[in-house]
Amino acid sequence: MRKTGYSLLLWLLFQPLLSQGQSGDRITVGAKHFNEGYILGEMIGLVLEDAGFTVDRKFNLGGTAVTFEGLINDALD
């Protein structure tokens, strides 16, 4: 039951993004330097690639300040 709940939650979170995107769009996924960030970033990248997006992965970005600046400056999506 838990696995189904998590899958449904991921689908609900990504459905608006996936329905708006066009095949071939490039999205940059970033993650901080923690194992959980690597795993979640890779999962998000795989879901987006399955939807037809081109995904750039930028992992090991450092702390929250570095990642936040990447979001502010449109270096990360």
Side-chain angles (χ1 to χ4, degrees):
M1 179 63 184
R2 236 183 167 148
K3 187 176 182 180
T4 304
Y6 288 134
S7 298
L8 179 62
L9 178 64
L10 283 174
W11 183 80
L12 289 172
L13 290 173
F14 286 106
Q15 186 58 32
L17 176 65
L18 298 178
S19 64
Q20 291 177 357
Q22 299 175 357
S23 182
D25 285 348
R26 182 171 297 276
I27 295 178
T28 305
V29 176
K32 296 192 290 185
H33 62 286
F34 297 105
N35 291 336
E36 295 87 354
Y38 297 138
I39 293 168
L40 289 173
E42 187 61 32
M43 288 173 59
I44 291 168
L46 291 171
V47 168
L48 291 170
E49 285 176 340
D50 283 344
F53 292 93
T54 303
V55 177
D56 290 333
R57 291 168 175 83
K58 294 186 178 181
F59 296 155
N60 200 23
L61 291 176
T64 303
V66 174
T67 308
F68 185 69
E69 282 297 318
L71 289 169
I72 296 294
N73 297 324
D74 291 328
L76 299 174
D77 296 311

